[in-house]
């Protein structure tokens, strides 16, 4: 029987009674764990059944003059940002975008991306972010699968991809922006790295497109009232790698987003002052929303969207703006530790550093702590769990070599028949909580395979639960490569390689890499007529 205070804690925010009763059936030796009140920083309040925009609006009303975002060294308050959001929403309405429509956004982390997100969900539309590393056919797949008829993107991406795709896919509206549209005059262009072409690209009017900032300047903010069904309506459609080669659109409800904004704050509130979040995780990735921007907005904190990583620029930003919360992949911490100027910057503002995207190796955790004095702990999550599903309670209950404890949720480890295994035995990790997404768009069979009866999510990850309730990740049951925190489906790369006329057969695998964790390796057999004529470099250049 579970302790009364633990059950009261879960019930306080509306955890289903039937789930709690099922959990009571598991014994102390079973591989099952539910969030315990003693692991948390403070109780989660009852979850309001509102839209994610309404949650943002509450922060605007409470913290109107606080800085919401700092992008390329330019600040904007909650009040100013909300005005832009509502003017952009008016633009979308004028273009014919209505509740339930999908708006695709291919932008790096930026103020513009947050305006695009909140502006779409403000009028009941669905925001689907497109990976900025995607090429033409990958973009085309997501646009077609999601049904988006309006796209928001960088002006340079238009000439590269959207000029052709607009006609091919029947995109009705293309809204363009430029990095310079919202940036301080003193921004360090050298630190933009691969984004320099976007910075230096000429800002010219492109016929048949709409300029984001020029257009919203002409609109009055909308006062439209939109009815929302928080547990059914989908504000965010995130695409995640599929082992079949086809990405799956994960349907995240308003309730999912509001729940995780609250749970990621109240359970993990290790920071002692107003949060300043260094937002490096990309906004085509679930972590770009939940680690930790949406929770930061909920608190009235400041989000610093980072369009591309530069180690020394990161150190400057942390020092200059007093960053205190960082969620980032192992490669981020490795790069900072290896930077020759690491010790020259004042990082004393940082209170929380958590690894995400891939497990941080214990030696890196130890080196980070020895060099910075800050604990670096691991976490685990999926697009389907709307990010942080499992994490150590730093300062309360932690274990560096684990992925932590469930966040306002349950986890169990099962055998191939679904039976719960004893503690310490490896099997598939199942996850259950109110943050679990609605399912996959247009994929009923795959939805049925992953989203099980009783609310459980089959994660496809193999692990075990130890005697202290910590969950340990061992391997992936599914055939994915995780490189620098990104999921890579081998079959996607194989399909590209097979397009080369010299290739007879190919197989792609993940191999260990000291920096990326894993990286991609391809084995290729050439057709007889090409043997001795085609070298590795040609295939790599082709890819």
């Amino acid at each position: 029987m579970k302790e009364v205070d633990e059950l009261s804690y879960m019930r306080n925010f509306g955890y289903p009674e039937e789930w709690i009763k099922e959990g009571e059936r598991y014994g102390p030796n079973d591989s099952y764990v539910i969030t315990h009140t003693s692991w948390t920083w403070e109780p989660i309040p009852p979850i309001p059944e509102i839209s994610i925009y309404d949650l943002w609006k509450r922060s605007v009303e409470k913290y109107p003059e606080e800085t919401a975002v700092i992008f390329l060294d330019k600040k904007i308050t909650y009040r100013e940002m909300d005005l832009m959001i509502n003017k952009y929403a008016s633009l979308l309405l004028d273009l014919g975008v209505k509740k339930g429509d999908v708006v695709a956004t291919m932008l790096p982390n930026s103020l513009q991306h947050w305006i695009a997100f909140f502006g779409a969900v403000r009028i009941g539309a669905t925001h689907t972010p497109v990976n900025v590393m995607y090429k033409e056919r990958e973009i085309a797949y997501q646009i077609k699968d999601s049904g988006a008829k309006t796209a928001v993107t960088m002006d340079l991406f238009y000439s590269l991809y959207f000029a052709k795709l607009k006609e091919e896919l029947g995109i009705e509206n293309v809204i363009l922006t430029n990095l310079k549209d919202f940036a301080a005059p003193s921004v360090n262009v050298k630190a933009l790295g691969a984004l320099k072409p976007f910075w230096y690209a000429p800002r010219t009017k492109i016929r048949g497109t709409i300029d984001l900032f020029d257009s919203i300047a002409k609109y009055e903010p909308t006062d439209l009232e939109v009815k929302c069904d928080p547990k059914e309506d989908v504000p965010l459609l995130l695409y995640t790698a599929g082992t079949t080669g086809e990405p799956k659109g994960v349907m995240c409800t308003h309730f999912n987003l509001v729940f995780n904004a609250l749970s990621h704050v109240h359970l993990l509130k290790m920071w002692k002052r107003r949060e300043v979040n260094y937002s490096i995780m990309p906004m085509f990735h679930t972590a770009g929303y939940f680690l930790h921007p949406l929770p930061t907005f909920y608190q009235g904190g400041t989000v610093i969207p980072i369009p591309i990583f530069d180690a020394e620029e990161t150190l400057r930003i942390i020092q200059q703006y007093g960053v205190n919360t960082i969620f980032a992949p192992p490669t981020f911490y490795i790069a900072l530790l290896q930077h020759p100027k690491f010790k020259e910057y004042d990082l004393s503002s940082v209170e929380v550093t958590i690894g995400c995207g891939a497990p941080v190796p214990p030696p890196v955790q130890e080196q980070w702590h020895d060099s910075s004095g800050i604990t670096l702990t691991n976490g685990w999550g999926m697009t389907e769990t709307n990010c942080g599903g499992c994490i150590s309670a730093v300062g309360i209950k932690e274990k560096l070599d684990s992925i932590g404890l469930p966040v306002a949720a349950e986890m169990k480890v099962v055998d191939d028949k679904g039976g719960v295994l004893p503690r310490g035995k490896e099997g598939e990790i199942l996850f259950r909580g109110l943050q679990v997404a609605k399912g996959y768009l247009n994929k009923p069979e795959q939805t049925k395979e992953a989203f099980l009866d009783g609310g459980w999510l089959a994660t496809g990850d193999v692990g075990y639960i130890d005697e202290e309730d910590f969950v340990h990740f061992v391997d992936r049951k599914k055939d994915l490569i995780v490189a620098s925190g990104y999921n890579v489906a081998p079959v996607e790369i194989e399909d590209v390689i097979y397009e080369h006329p010299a290739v007879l057969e190919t197989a792609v695998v993940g191999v260990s890499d000291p920096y990326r964790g894993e990286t991609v390796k391809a084995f290729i057999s050439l057709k007889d007529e090409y043997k001795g004529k085609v070298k590795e470099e040609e295939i790599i250049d082709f890819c």
Side-chain angles (χ1 to χ4, degrees):
M1 185 74 177
K2 301 296 177 187
E3 297 177 17
V4 173
D5 65 336
E6 177 185 355
L7 299 181
S8 298
Y9 172 81
M10 299 297 282
R11 288 179 175 123
N12 185 56
F13 59 82
Y15 206 75
E17 194 66 31
E18 63 269 27
W19 292 2
I20 290 175
K21 290 187 181 300
E22 180 193 333
E24 288 183 295
R25 298 201 298 265
Y26 298 118
N29 296 320
D30 289 327
S31 282
Y32 167 82
V33 59
I34 187 170
T35 302
H36 193 287
T37 187
S38 65
W39 306 339
T40 65
W41 282 83
E42 59 189 31
I44 300 175
I47 309 300
E49 294 197 14
I50 58 176
S51 75
I52 190 63
Y53 173 77
D54 286 336
L55 190 71
W56 156 265
K57 188 65 176 177
R58 290 183 179 188
S59 293
V60 174
E61 293 166 355
K62 194 172 181 180
Y63 314 101
E65 301 309 320
E66 294 285 2
T67 299
V69 167
I70 303 171
F71 178 57
L72 297 180
D73 289 315
K74 190 170 181 179
K75 298 179 180 180
I76 186 169
T77 67
Y78 277 81
R79 178 182 54 78
E80 292 167 334
M81 185 168 156
D82 191 56
L83 182 61
M84 283 190 177
I85 289 165
N86 278 276
K87 286 186 171 189
Y88 172 68
S90 292
L91 166 63
L92 291 180
L93 289 168
D94 199 33
L95 293 174
V97 179
K98 58 186 184 300
K99 181 178 179 180
D101 287 349
V102 178
V103 180
T105 301
M106 189 173 177
L107 296 172
N109 288 13
S110 56
L111 171 73
Q112 292 95 314
H113 204 140
W114 280 112
I115 290 172
F117 169 74
F118 280 120
V121 303
R122 165 72 180 86
I123 61 171
T126 298
H127 170 83
T128 188
V130 181
N131 188 331
V132 294
M133 294 183 286
Y134 272 1
K135 302 304 178 190
E136 188 176 299
R137 69 174 177 179
E138 296 162 311
I139 299 167
Y141 171 82
Q142 184 167 337
I143 298 288
K144 187 175 181 180
D145 188 66
S146 68
K149 296 299 180 186
T150 298
V152 190
T153 189
M154 306 292 292
D155 42 15
L156 199 57
F157 283 150
Y158 181 81
S159 58
L160 288 173
Y161 310 119
F162 285 89
K164 178 181 178 182
L165 291 175
K166 183 180 178 184
E167 301 302 323
E168 183 182 313
L169 299 173
I171 299 172
E172 296 169 2
N173 311 300
V174 179
I175 302 168
L176 301 182
T177 187
N178 185 287
L179 276 183
K180 295 178 197 157
D181 287 346
F182 193 92
S186 59
V187 68
N188 180 9
V189 179
K190 290 181 180 179
L192 291 176
L195 288 180
K196 285 181 189 176
F198 294 92
W199 185 265
Y200 290 116
R203 297 163 76 179
T204 57
K205 300 291 183 183
I206 300 174
R207 189 174 181 180
T209 68
I210 301 156
D211 183 278
L212 174 64
F213 282 97
D214 283 355
S215 296
I216 65 174
K218 301 170 185 175
Y219 281 90
E220 291 297 318
T222 183
D223 58 1
L224 178 72
E225 295 289 333
V226 180
K227 290 185 178 179
C228 174
D229 184 342
K231 293 187 177 179
E232 291 297 325
D233 292 348
V234 176
L236 184 61
L237 182 63
L238 286 169
Y239 278 75
T240 185
T243 55
T244 61
E246 276 192 352
K248 297 171 289 189
V250 179
M251 297 184 288
C252 311
T253 68
H254 285 277
F255 189 81
N256 293 151
L257 273 60
V258 171
F259 180 87
N260 264 10
L262 271 66
S263 66
H264 281 45
V265 170
H266 296 289
L267 264 73
L268 310 175
K269 203 168 186 179
M270 297 159 275
W271 49 93
K272 298 178 181 67
R273 58 189 177 82
R274 183 174 174 274
E275 184 175 351
V276 180
N277 173 244
Y278 182 90
S279 181
I280 186 65
M281 296 305 288
M283 289 183 69
F284 53 79
H285 190 290
T286 180
Y289 296 85
F290 294 106
L291 299 181
H292 208 238
L294 284 175
T296 302
F297 288 139
Y298 163 62
Q299 306 164 65
T302 298
V303 173
I304 306 177
I306 305 299
I308 197 162
F309 173 70
D310 177 89
E312 187 166 354
E313 183 69 357
T314 296
L315 295 168
R316 177 191 71 83
I317 289 170
I318 292 171
Q319 177 178 283
Q320 182 170 337
Y321 296 115
V323 170
N324 59 357
T325 307
I326 302 171
F327 290 78
T331 48
F332 172 90
Y333 300 102
I334 293 169
L336 292 189
L337 287 167
Q338 292 178 347
H339 196 277
K341 294 185 178 181
F342 180 70
K343 291 291 186 181
E344 296 180 19
Y345 286 85
D346 179 7
L347 307 185
S348 60
S349 63
V350 180
E351 298 177 69
V352 180
T353 53
I354 296 176
C356 60
V360 182
V364 176
Q365 293 174 284
E366 293 165 10
Q367 188 181 355
W368 178 259
H369 185 269
D370 292 345
S371 300
S372 68
I374 308 161
T375 298
L376 173 56
T377 190
N378 269 316
W380 169 95
M382 300 171 64
T383 309
E384 291 86 344
T385 67
N386 286 284
C387 217
C390 188
I391 199 167
S392 282
V394 179
I396 298 178
K397 185 179 174 71
E398 58 187 271
K399 182 178 280 190
L400 293 185
D401 64 349
S402 77
I403 56 173
L405 308 156
V407 176
E410 306 161 86
M411 298 175 83
K412 65 180 179 179
V413 178
V414 300
D415 58 24
D416 290 340
K417 296 181 179 179
V420 178
L421 289 166
R423 294 197 176 219
K425 294 287 186 182
E426 295 179 8
E428 183 175 6
I429 298 170
L430 302 190
F431 182 93
R432 180 164 69 181
L434 295 171
Q435 60 271 70
V436 173
K438 187 176 177 179
Y440 301 125
L441 180 70
N442 302 327
K443 289 182 170 51
E445 290 304 315
Q446 291 187 45
T447 296
K448 189 176 180 180
E449 290 170 6
F451 296 83
L452 308 178
D453 292 340
W456 290 102
L457 174 72
T459 70
D461 287 339
V462 174
Y464 64 93
I465 297 173
D466 66 21
E467 298 298 325
E468 299 174 272
D469 289 328
F470 286 99
V471 183
H472 296 256
F473 171 84
V474 175
D475 203 350
R476 285 177 304 283
K477 186 177 179 182
K478 50 196 176 187
D479 186 22
L480 285 176
I481 301 164
V482 179
S484 297
Y486 296 107
N487 287 349
V488 181
V491 69
E492 286 190 86
I493 302 168
E494 290 166 354
D495 286 347
V496 171
I497 294 172
Y498 271 120
E499 291 183 12
H500 193 286
V503 174
L504 176 66
E505 289 183 294
T506 184
V508 168
V509 299
V511 293
S512 180
D513 183 88
Y515 179 61
R516 303 181 78 197
E518 275 189 305
T519 195
V520 176
K521 185 169 186 174
F523 295 86
I524 295 171
S525 175
L526 298 177
K527 295 173 182 175
D528 288 340
E529 63 269 30
Y530 287 95
K531 288 178 179 177
K533 298 177 183 178
V534 174
K535 295 184 178 180
E536 294 176 14
E537 291 76 14
E538 183 178 329
I539 302 293
I540 292 170
D541 289 344
F542 177 80
C543 289

